[in-house]
Every structure is written in C-alpha cells, then in structure tokens.
Amino acid sequence: MAESGNAVVRRGDYRAPGFWLDRVELVFDLDPLATVVTSTLSLRRNAATHADGRLTLFGDGLPIEAMALNGVSLPETSFRQQPGRIEIDAATLTAQGDCATLTLVTRFNPTANLALEGLYITGGTFCTQCEAEGFRRITWFPDRPDVLSEYFVTIRADKAAFPVLLSNGNLLGIRDLADGRHEARWHDPHKKPCYLFALVAGDLDRMQDEFVTASGRRVRLEIYSTTANLPRCRWAMDCLKAAMRWDEQAYGREFDLDRFMIYAADDFNMGAMENKGLNIFNSRFLLADQHTATDADFQTVDAIVAHEYFHNWSGNRVTCRDWFQLSLKEGFTVFREQQYTATRAAPAVVRIEEAAFMQQRQFAQDAGPMAHPIRPDEYEAIDNFYTVTVYEKGAEVIRMLRALLGADTYRRGCDLYFERHDGTAATCDDFVAAMEAASGRDLSQFKRWYSQAGTPTLRVRDDYDAAQNRYSLHVVQHVPPTPGQPHKQPMVIPLAAALLHEDGRIDHEGVLEVTAAEQRFEFDRVAAHPIPSLLRGFSAPVRVRFDYSDAQLIALASRDNDGVSRWQAMRELFFRAFDGRAAQARQEPGGGALRVDPAMDRAVAALLADHHSDPALLAHLLILPSYAELADRTAADQPIDPLAIADARDDVLRALIASQRAAIIERYGRERATLRGQPWAHTLAQVAHRALSNTLLALANVEANRDAQEFCLAQADAADNLTDVIGAMTALRDQPGAVRDVLYRRFHDAWQDDLSMLNRWFSLEAATVRGDAAAHASALLAHPKFDGKNPNRVRAVVQAFGDQNWRGFHATDGSGYHFIADQIRHYDAQNPSLAARFCDVFARWHRCAEPARTQQGAQLQRIVATETLSANVREIIEKTLKSGS
C-alpha cells in the first residue's frame, strides 16, 4: 500500500493469468436506466501456472444478478468477494476438466455514469470507454491486457430510439424483435483484451467510403455522427484513407476486417480510442471544415485519425502484456504518427512542434513530482500514467532506435516484432529484442531509456587545432536524480551534429553516439574554426549546453539548414534577453528603463526580412518561450517568482516590439497580400502564410495600439476561415476595449449553440489576463451554456485557466490556486480522470517564492483532506506534497 492508502501495483509482481479466455459472448439489453449485460466466458486453465491458480474477476460498482458455472448456479460459498474483485479457486472451476464456462448477469444505470468510463450515455447515444479499466463497469471480468479472446456480441435495443447498433469486428446480422426492439450480432475474429471492446448505439447518421488494400481487399469505411455534424467528417475520412495507404507503404501493414468504423462522441474523456474496428473519437478531434476548424485543428485531426488507425497493429494485433508496457503501444504508435505527419506537412515545422511540446511539457514532467520512466515500475492509478512521458518521450525513444540502427534495419526489426508477437500481449523487452535480432547489436545500454526517468543534459565544449585542421567536441552527459532514482547511469544518446562555416557551408553532418559519461569526438580536414550545429532535428530528448557567442547564435538562427537548430538558436537568444532583463529589474530602482537586447533585435530583424524561408518556420522562430519554460530554467537553489518572471518576459517582448514594430507591420501586410483574393484551401502554402501573419498580428498587439487593433477587426471581417478569426481574437485577448468586445461578442452570439465552437470562446476568456481572473473564470462556470458534465467544456475553462493564464493562476491573493483546488475537488467526485488532469499546475509549488509557496501548499492540503478523494487525484497530490518535504 502507498502512504496515501491506495493499493500499489508493481511491475515486478507480474504473474501470468491462471486462466485463458478462448471465447467471450456478450449480450446487451440496452436501457438508458437499467441495462442488463449477460457475459459468457469460455475459460481454459493456463497449464503454465501453478495448479492452485485462481480466477480473479474485476468489477466496479456492479451488483451480480446471477452467476453460473457450466450452466449451474454458483453458490456464494464457491467464491470470495472483496471490494472490486471476485476470486474463484481453480479447483472449483476445473472440477470437470481444464475448461469451464462461466456466465454472469449484471444490471446498471448508464445514464448515472458521469465518470464516462465503461458504458454511458452521451447525447442520447450509448457509448463505451474501456481503456484502461472501464470494462469492469460493464461486467465482472478478468480485466487485464494479457487476457485476449475472440468476442461475439449481441446488442438489443429500442429500434426507434437506437436504430444504429455497433460493436467491434464484422457484422453477422440484424433482425427485428418483439415490442419495437431490434438486435445486431457482431463478431471480432481477432483476439483482443477487454480494454479494446466497444459499443455504440443511437440515432446516428453515417458517411460511407471504401478503401482497397494493397492486396485488393475492399474495406467499407464508415463514420457515424449526428446529421448536423456529418459534413464536418469529410476531412477525417480523407485522412483515414491516407493513413491506411501510408501504413501499407511504410510498414507493410494492411487492415484486416471487412469494415472500419469511427464514431464522434461529444462527451469523451480522451482524445480518441483505438477499439478494434470501431474507433471512438472525441468529436473535437474528428470534425473539421474551414469555418469550424483552424489549420492546426486540421493537422490535429489528421494526426489523431492516423494514430488510432495505426494502433490496429501497434496496440491491437500486438497489445501490451501489462499496463507497465503502455509505451510499447503508445510510444511506438506516436512515432508512427509523427512519421506520417511529416509527410503531410512541412517536416521541419512538424519537428519543431514536436520538440517544443517535449521541452514545454515532458521536460517539466521529468523535473516534477510525477517523474517516471517510459516504463514505470509501479503505479497506484493507471489512468495517471497516460502521460507525455509514456507517449511523447516513448516516441522519442523509438525515433532514437531508428536513428541508431538505420531506417532499413529498423523496418526489419518492426517486421520481426509483428511476426513474432501477432495476436499476443508483448513487452517493451520483446520490441527491443526484435531490434537486436534484426541488427545483431546489443541494446542493453540503450534499454536504460525504458527504466531511467529524467531529462539528460549534454554539456559540450569545443576546441580547434589549426595546425592539424582538426576540430573536437567534448561531451559530458548527466542524468539528474528523480523521485526514487537518486543515481543514474550513462545513456545511449544519438547527437545529430554538423559544422557551419563562415561562408555558409555545412559539412560533417552525422550522428554522434554518446554512450559514456565523458566522450570526445574529432573531425578532420576542417579548414577553420566552425560553429557546431547540435541536436539537429531534436535527435534525442535531452538538453544541450554549449557556450555559443551571440554572433554564433545569430548565424545559426539565420543560416543553418536545420529548422530545429534555427529554432533552438532563437530560443537561446530569447533566454539571454530574458536573463538580462530579469537581472536589470532586480538591480536597478524601479526595474530600470526598457532596453531591447541587441542580439535578439538583430536576429528578429533578419527573420522579418527573410523572404526565402518557409513562412511557417519563421512563425515558430518568432514565438517566445512561455512563462512556464522560463520558470523551469530557474536555478535549483533559487526560488521561482512567478510574477517577476511574467514581468521580465513581457518587458523583453515590449522592448522588442518597440524596436521592430514597423518591420512587423510591413511583413504582416505582405503576408495578408499574399493570401488576399485566394479562396481558402488547406494547402502548405496557405497554412504557412496564415501562420506567419497571425504570429505577426499577435506581436503587433502586445501593447495597446489602435492601428493594430483595427488590423484584427479587418482580418476577422474579411476572414473566410476560422484560423484568421481565432488569430484576430487571440491577438486581442489581453487588450480590453471596444474592438475586442465586438469580436468576442460577435463570436459568442454566432456560435452559442455549437458545442465545440463555443468552447473556443470559453478558453480564450478563461485565459484572458485581468485583475479578477479567478472570479471571471468562476463566472464562466455559471454561464448558461456551461455544462459541467461535458469534459471538453470543463477543460475549456478549468484547464485553460490553469495552463494558459499564468498571471491569473499565480495572482498575489492566491485566488487562482483556490479556484483550481475547488475544481479538482468538485470534478473528482464525478469524473476522477478529468480532475486528475488539473493537478499538474501545482507541480512547481515547492520551488516558488513566498507567498506563492505557502498559498499553493495550503490548497494542496485542502485537496488531500477531502474524505472521498479518488485514487487518481490522491496519488498525484500526495506525490506533489511530498516533493516539498
């Protein structure tokens, strides 16, 4: 047990199940208030386990109406029931042989299921979410990912209310029943764990298409939604077909059923779920057209549709043995998604976005109280480990493997992995073993990425021997201590590098394999002292420290041919400008006069005058690091002063804009002129010009300026797409006044009856910087259109406030901390997995200066004192408090 009282599950305690499931038959008699589920399990004793092994069934709040073994009612004396589990001895089950049939009947109320796990009602439609442990809210079951079975599912419901009845696999038949009900029978021939089970039943419309596989099989494609939302599903359908073709070409993986279905759910805890043959999507990540989705949304829909489809092999055909292996399916699939996305958008821009996400989110998690390796050793609530570490860092680990082994060897390793483990539950070790077999290479040191938490730092220095024309890089790696892991061993780190010369040449490009605590790399035939371009393409999830001069950074930012290297150079210039302003504010009375940092000023001027680079790349180079990133750079022995950080960053930005306003306005005009007269299209060129123009518009509105505000109004008035409308509204978000009021009121009134669109208004309002930010967020919760049962709407206010309103969250009176604590306690009572997502904002509390430290600590204590606190929230809050002890 943990200190919190939660049960601790440990990877080292894994034992194979005592019984296998050869067949599962499920019969659903659907009723919104009283659904009855009859499950029939065909059990077979696992001969590899000890003879006295038992069958453990898991359930959550489910009374048992009946239980029978081989058709005979099972008396209560034949099993042991504890909270959440039932245990039946092997001797009882195998009295007539190694095989047995167990039948259970449960009854529950889907309408009352506000946790949105298991079977629940959304907008009058039955829907399921079973990963990780939702299936135990449907029936008592051996709910563990290594128990795979063939599923036969029968669904019965009122035909008028629920004309569409869907489940995994292939449809066997539909028939009408008495009393206005009807029945559908489904069969999934591919063995799967119960977390991949899905059911949808409702009055739904359908978009149909077809995909012909490489081998000539015809697959029916269907997307189910409300009639009103169906036209917005066209992009998702196109993306699905593109992903299916890409997976055949890149990995040799064909789809294996007669049909592939997707359902768009308005109420859904996750982004999407890869249930075999029946993906269920949060509608926010499926619906898209030019008027209701931004360019970024189009890319997100493309990526998530691909991600869930790719799971058909990396997650479904080969699943994970236990939840500690979660990154086996998620990290691998995220990397496959990233590879695909790089073929659908500008690769350099895509990679910068991935690197930015890692540095902003995952590095922060590595440095916080919930730090864990991509394969954790223990957990209290598995829902808490669907993290950026398991997903995105897991993807970076697969990317590093590919870089180290080469593309062809990596592909052979993937083929071998699928061949060896198709239809089974595998481990991270199994994946690495396939790569070792394909490459003939010992990857035992590389496997430390699976077991060691933390973000490694590479400290690099160089020297140049002019007499020998030899250039050297000296690399020292350090992996910082993390909770439970005070001492670390050296990692295998692929450090992509190249040398940039005065004349603009770039040579000696390659990957340096860092394996020791200290290492030296030499480059021969180097005619003059070059500038090293390091961590090109973000080749590893590490920090690199090199003592560049300002001139070297400007050269990298303007002349390097690697987009990530240019982006990193600009970030370092921004960091230096921030450090200078923060030091000035501490040393000079009243903070001193604002002065633009000359190096940053020159670099930005060069970018604004750059008409050769991809405008989308320039947009990313002009975005300053966030308040949170700047806070995370604070030295470990120094307290974080949240508002001083915000002041210094804003001062840097104001000084820069004062210097470059004319150039910003001029370049903004050029970008809008390029787009003017063109009908909207989701093309790389248009997306790039919109991205740069909206970045420039935001910069122009850093301080109140009537002309810049009029640009926003004009852009929104002329817009034929949501990207430009949201760009204008975002630029004006923190600028109170008549222009902002017009845009925000107009958007609210136009979209007040559209769930996903109004969420954008809620998010912008919740993130707005104002003196009464917490009170304003509370008022949003009382808005007539606010629905506390809808996760997307709750996130639109609560998460937007916590993640995006730095000044509001860190208000000096502590009101921001109190607001978030209130919401965690409130939503934990109905939807623990949702509430747990709001806890991360307190991760830095123990490093904050007073009074922020004490104020946050008091709110954490208030949360943990809640008697009915869920295991999800309790685990995070307990660990967060412990980090400050």
Side-chain angles (χ1 to χ4, degrees), residues 577 581 584 593-602 604 651-660:
R581 175 56 188 164
Q584 179 191 12
L594 285 185
R595 297 189 293 269
V596 66
D597 180 86
M600 186 180 71
D601 195 42
R602 293 207 321 271
V604 169
D651 286 347
V652 167
L653 194 51
R654 282 197 294 270
L656 176 65
I657 301 311
S659 173
Q660 296 294 335

Side-chain angles (χ1 to χ4, degrees), residues 401 404-405 409-410 412-413 416 420 432-444:
L401 262 178
L404 292 167
L405 302 182
T409 301
Y410 165 78
R412 289 198 302 273
L416 183 59
R420 284 179 172 180
V432 177
M435 294 296 162
E436 287 181 318
S439 65
R441 175 170 174 168
D442 181 1
L443 295 172
S444 55

Side-chain angles (χ1 to χ4, degrees), residues 783-861:
H783 188 284
K785 292 293 185 178
F786 183 80
D787 179 3
K789 296 178 183 179
N790 179 265
N792 288 348
R793 184 132 297 175
V794 175
R795 282 188 285 259
V797 176
V798 180
Q799 197 150 17
F801 178 85
D803 289 351
Q804 300 173 38
N805 199 329
W806 181 269
R807 287 186 180 275
F809 178 66
H810 291 291
T812 54
D813 62 359
S815 57
Y817 310 141
H818 197 280
F819 172 78
I820 292 294
D822 278 350
Q823 306 317 311
I824 291 171
R825 297 175 74 217
H826 174 75
Y827 287 104
D828 184 60
Q830 68 182 45
N831 193 331
S833 64
L834 176 65
R837 298 295 179 182
F838 304 149
C839 298
D840 289 346
V841 292
F842 289 110
R844 303 177 186 86
W845 79 277
H846 62 290
R847 295 195 57 207
C848 285
E850 294 294 353
R853 188 184 195 280
T854 297
Q855 290 170 336
Q856 291 180 76
Q859 297 307 317
L860 290 168
Q861 292 289 354

Side-chain angles (χ1 to χ4, degrees), residues 316-328:
N316 296 1
R317 289 285 290 260
V318 184
T319 191
C320 48
R321 185 195 72 179
D322 52 65
W323 291 122
F324 298 102
Q325 319 296 330
L326 183 59
S327 194
L328 173 70

Side-chain angles (χ1 to χ4, degrees), residues 57 62-67 79 81 86 103-107 140:
L57 305 175
L62 290 175
I64 301 173
E65 296 213 339
M67 180 159 56
F79 57 88
Q81 185 165 1
I86 292 173
T103 303
L104 300 101
V105 179
T106 57
R107 182 189 301 267
W140 291 87

